[in-house]
Amino acid sequence: MTIAVLLLIVLIAGPVAPAAAQAPPASRFGITDNSFLIEEAFNQEAGIFQNIFVMARNTDNEWDGSFTQEWPVVSQRHQFSFTLPFSAVSNAMALGDLGLNYRVQVTDGEGRFPAFSPRLTLLSPTSAERRSLGGGGIGWQVNLPFSKQAGRMFFHGNAGTTLLPVEASATSTREWSNAPFTGGSAIVAVTPMFNLMLESLVVWTHEEGVREPSVTVSPGFRLGWNLGDQQIVIGIGVPVTRGDRHDTAVLGYFSYELPFRHK
């Protein structure tokens, strides 16, 4: 498939220069790779893994959340992670699609070029009827994240799509639902460990022959602490969605990075 060919070309393109711990050197940024809605283009440093918990509650008292764990594979160039989303509506819990993610660090953001770390995700359903799009088979997602620092500000951009199989009759060929998305964020370092954030995300869904966009804008902040070779980051965002969906929520973020081996 086209996505797999793209990543194969990236993989054989050759190694990149070693990156610093999670980001290019930045005197004003002690926190990177801890956005809420927009993916930052920095893989995990060798020897360090990250646990990420996200929870959001909307005005209808519905809960959505996810747990993500990120691991470097031998070096910072390659990263494997998994994401398990979950939700709670009317006291009923449900799991979403398990995402198995691979990212490759093509550029690390040093010099003129932005950091670039494309991701390919295999989506395995925990329950077909829980999906908002598609049927019960294996799905795919690709994302192309870019990150670039400018003084005390970091800018991040994402573009990708989610492909899920559509239920079809036994005589028809397999069809796929396609939900492209794009987004960006700006983060300013008030202090190295306290950042103000503004994220935006647009997702297009296709139902009954009509493609409808949903636009989410989320102001927020994040605060971190370095404890030796460990780091804790917490954050709060207020995502407001309009378009195909109308929703306002409060989002909580928690990240814990720690070593899994001594260097």
Side-chain angles (χ1 to χ4, degrees):
M1 60 165 31
T2 303
I3 295 172
V5 172
L6 173 63
L7 283 186
L8 180 60
I9 293 173
V10 169
L11 285 172
I12 65 177
V16 297
Q22 298 241 33
S27 60
R28 299 297 303 177
F29 277 87
I31 306 173
T32 55
D33 196 26
N34 286 277
S35 289
F36 310 154
L37 305 180
I38 300 300
E39 194 169 334
E40 299 184 31
F42 303 114
N43 282 357
Q44 282 299 115
E45 180 189 14
I48 302 292
F49 75 102
Q50 184 175 13
N51 302 283
I52 302 169
F53 297 88
V54 179
M55 286 291 295
R57 183 180 181 181
N58 65 17
T59 52
D60 294 326
N61 295 324
E62 298 173 343
W63 292 86
D64 286 292
S66 66
F67 170 67
T68 299
Q69 195 170 81
E70 298 180 343
W71 293 80
V73 181
V74 181
S75 69
Q76 189 171 353
R77 177 169 169 79
H78 304 283
Q79 176 180 289
F80 170 79
S81 64
F82 68 87
T83 300
L84 183 61
F86 51 87
S87 61
V89 180
S90 300
N91 297 321
M93 295 288 296
L95 297 177
D97 289 358
L98 173 65
L100 302 177
N101 315 297
Y102 168 72
R103 294 204 327 182
V104 58
Q105 190 82 56
V106 179
T107 57
D108 57 21
E110 295 188 26
R112 297 173 54 189
F113 298 101
F116 177 48
S117 185
R119 167 175 59 82
L120 178 65
T121 296
L122 182 150
L123 297 169
S124 178
T126 57
S127 175
E129 58 271 14
R130 297 292 182 182
R131 275 187 169 167
S132 59
L133 293 172
I138 295 296
W140 300 90
Q141 186 179 84
V142 64
N143 189 27
L144 305 176
F146 294 86
S147 298
K148 185 62 178 176
Q149 184 183 1
R152 295 174 59 174
M153 298 193 69
F154 244 119
F155 298 94
H156 308 283
N158 289 184
T161 191
T162 303
L163 298 172
L164 296 175
V166 176
E167 295 288 354
S169 65
T171 59
S172 64
T173 59
R174 167 169 283 189
E175 297 181 356
W176 296 82
S177 69
N178 179 15
F181 58 86
T182 186
S185 67
I187 302 175
V188 59
V190 179
T191 72
M193 301 300 288
F194 176 66
N195 303 162
L196 297 179
M197 311 168 66
L198 181 62
E199 301 176 281
S200 62
L201 179 67
V202 184
V203 180
W204 288 268
T205 57
H206 191 269
E207 295 183 12
E208 299 180 353
V210 178
R211 190 173 294 280
E212 296 286 348
S214 293
V215 180
T216 300
V217 177
S218 178
F221 71 88
R222 63 189 185 190
L223 177 66
W225 298 268
N226 290 321
L227 308 173
D229 53 5
Q230 304 174 44
Q231 186 180 76
I232 294 174
V233 176
I234 63 172
I236 294 177
V238 184
V240 179
T241 302
R242 295 294 182 266
D244 185 43
R245 290 175 47 234
H246 278 64
D247 191 22
T248 301
V250 175
L251 179 149
Y253 176 93
F254 175 82
S255 167
Y256 178 39
E257 288 183 300
L258 68 161
F260 61 88
R261 62 176 174 82
H262 294 289
K263 300 180 182 179

